[in-house]
Amino acid sequence: MSRINERIWAGEECASVLTGVSKPQLLGSVRWADSSRDLVWRADETTRVKAPTVSSTPELRTEPQGLSDGWWETLRGSLTALAGATTTRVAVRQDLIDRRISEYAGPAVDPRVDEWVPAHADVHWANLTAPRMVLLDWEGWGLGPRGLDAATLLAFSLLVPTVATRVSDLFTEDLSCRSGALARLFMCAELLRMTSHHGDHPDLAGPLTREADRLVITLSAPT
């Protein structure tokens, strides 16, 4: 009970007020305590999502099927609507970005973010459905650097260059600004850390390193 993460615990409820976002609708929640094991349980009931996820894993390894132009437009419209919402929740803190970027790039890159917007903060291919685009898993959403969601999806798309290019083109404004470039470098560094420490996403190590090195050069260049 003492270890409940308040941000994650209430994420689905807080997301229920969002508009213009293709997501499951929260119908009700119930909580109950198990004092004998010092636990609190929670169950959320949402509208049923019949479409399967695009991938069983966060990263793509093959070209996905069922991603029409309308699918991509729904994704972009949903993330645009989310970024325009108002919240005091925080998904990714500046101090975490500072640590990850400094671990990878040292003092070469100034990690200070100048644009913060609401983000889902976990947009990957196992949280997206098709042929109807629905974005799942809302417990951790909150403020993050502009471009965080696009940067996350791009990182998990690097094994399929055609999809990575589609993501880059669709979110070019968010990804090309300084905040977006920092978000991309942060995600590369974060996933590479997960690879080295936990063995997660090993196939992505090469593409992530190449992307991160390129971003370090870009972000460290004099303006």
Side-chain angles (χ1 to χ4, degrees):
M1 293 181 182
S2 63
R3 296 175 61 187
I4 291 175
N5 183 316
E6 294 182 7
R7 178 179 65 88
I8 293 177
W9 186 257
E12 286 284 354
E13 285 180 294
C14 293
S16 65
V17 302
L18 296 172
T19 58
V21 179
S22 182
K23 60 180 293 297
Q25 179 185 352
L26 182 65
L27 302 176
S29 300
V30 61
R31 307 161 188 80
W32 63 98
D34 183 349
S35 56
S36 65
R37 290 188 286 176
D38 194 33
L39 296 175
V40 179
W41 297 91
R42 173 187 174 116
D44 293 325
E45 181 185 14
T46 71
T47 49
R48 183 184 179 192
V49 179
K50 296 181 180 179
T53 56
V54 176
S55 172
S56 61
T57 60
E59 68 274 17
L60 275 184
R61 288 189 171 85
T62 59
E63 187 86 27
Q65 302 300 311
L67 305 190
S68 64
D69 289 344
W71 188 96
W72 288 102
E73 287 303 315
T74 301
L75 174 63
R76 180 167 64 175
S78 293
L79 295 184
T80 299
L82 174 60
T86 301
T87 186
T88 58
R89 292 171 54 84
V90 177
V92 178
R93 305 180 311 275
Q94 179 69 66
D95 64 319
L96 178 61
I97 295 172
D98 292 347
R99 289 199 303 274
R100 293 294 178 264
I101 289 181
S102 64
E103 287 167 1
Y104 193 87
V109 174
D110 180 357
R112 289 175 295 179
V113 174
D114 57 4
E115 294 182 84
W116 296 86
V117 299
H120 177 276
D122 202 19
V123 179
H124 57 63
W125 295 103
N127 276 338
L128 293 165
T129 70
R132 179 182 173 226
M133 200 300 292
V134 179
L135 182 52
L136 310 174
D137 194 13
W138 283 86
E139 75 263 14
W141 75 283
L143 294 172
R146 177 186 173 188
L148 176 64
D149 285 338
T152 305
L153 190 61
L154 178 61
F156 283 116
S157 304
L158 291 176
L159 296 175
V160 186
T162 55
V163 177
T165 298
R166 185 73 184 260
V167 173
S168 296
D169 292 345
L170 192 68
F171 298 103
T172 184
E173 291 185 6
D174 287 335
L175 291 171
S176 60
C177 67
R178 178 172 176 80
S179 172
L182 286 171
R184 290 159 65 189
L185 180 55
F186 164 72
M187 283 307 307
C188 288
E190 179 78 353
L191 292 179
L192 284 169
R193 187 175 187 274
M194 293 171 64
T195 298
S196 63
H197 284 63
H198 306 291
D200 296 340
H201 320 298
D203 294 351
L204 283 172
L208 286 170
T209 300
R210 290 190 290 274
E211 177 78 355
D213 289 346
R214 186 180 64 78
L215 286 163
V216 169
I217 294 172
T218 299
L219 286 163
S220 60
T223 56

